[in-house]
Amino acid sequence: MPALSTLHFEMLLRGAVVGLLLFHLAQLALPGARPAARLALAGFAASVLAYVFCQQAETLLYLPRAVAYVLLALCVATTAWLWLAARSLFEDGFQFGVLEVGALLGLGLVSIPVGNFMPDKDRAQNAIEWTFATLMLGYYAFTWRA
């Protein structure tokens, strides 16, 4: 039996993660309680799924440009979806509002030009991720008693 190379092992792990995320998305598509929470969790799972594909730059080159941009926008918005998923799970009566939808759309639209034209795009992406992670942690630190 041939030994698994590093590439084979990495592809095996990526396939397992994609399978689990697709299973999770299928479960979230079933009818159930709290549709806003289910939608936020589905958005987070889809963004993590996009992140798996964005890590292999070669795959983005073979996709149509519009699909690659959607994957990149979802990949950048992972922490924003995590922020919404956490809010939807811990807030009673959470509904998507103008602020949440606007933040996700704005982040997705801004991420493509920032990534293409900014010489130090990793810093911009890290700043976006840290902003939403700080928002999520700060929100729960200040509303812990409620």
Side-chain angles (χ1 to χ4, degrees):
M1 185 167 162
L4 286 177
S5 69
T6 305
L7 178 64
H8 289 114
F9 187 67
E10 179 184 347
M11 296 308 290
L12 178 73
L13 286 176
R14 284 182 190 274
V17 168
V18 167
L20 286 172
L21 288 170
L22 289 174
F23 176 74
H24 186 60
L25 284 170
Q27 291 295 316
L28 289 170
L30 297 173
R34 300 179 67 183
R38 296 170 78 77
L39 180 63
L41 287 169
F44 177 65
S47 67
V48 172
L49 187 62
Y51 191 79
V52 170
F53 288 106
C54 288
Q55 292 303 306
Q56 293 290 328
E58 299 85 24
T59 57
L60 294 176
L61 295 174
Y62 296 110
L63 294 173
R65 188 172 293 265
V67 174
Y69 281 160
V70 168
L71 283 175
L72 284 171
L74 273 172
C75 181
V76 171
T78 301
T79 53
W81 279 108
L82 177 62
W83 172 62
L84 281 178
R87 283 190 57 202
S88 68
L89 287 174
F90 296 113
E91 277 184 28
D92 294 331
F94 173 82
Q95 295 294 323
F96 279 98
V98 175
L99 174 69
E100 290 87 3
V101 174
L104 288 174
L105 288 176
L107 184 62
L109 292 174
V110 169
S111 66
I112 303 305
V114 164
N116 287 336
F117 301 113
M118 193 168 193
D120 198 5
K121 61 186 171 189
D122 289 336
R123 281 190 182 169
Q125 185 173 356
N126 286 341
I128 290 169
E129 290 173 356
W130 277 102
T131 300
F132 278 102
T134 305
L135 277 173
M136 182 178 63
L137 292 174
Y139 177 79
Y140 290 105
F142 290 116
T143 59
W144 183 263
R145 297 278 179 196

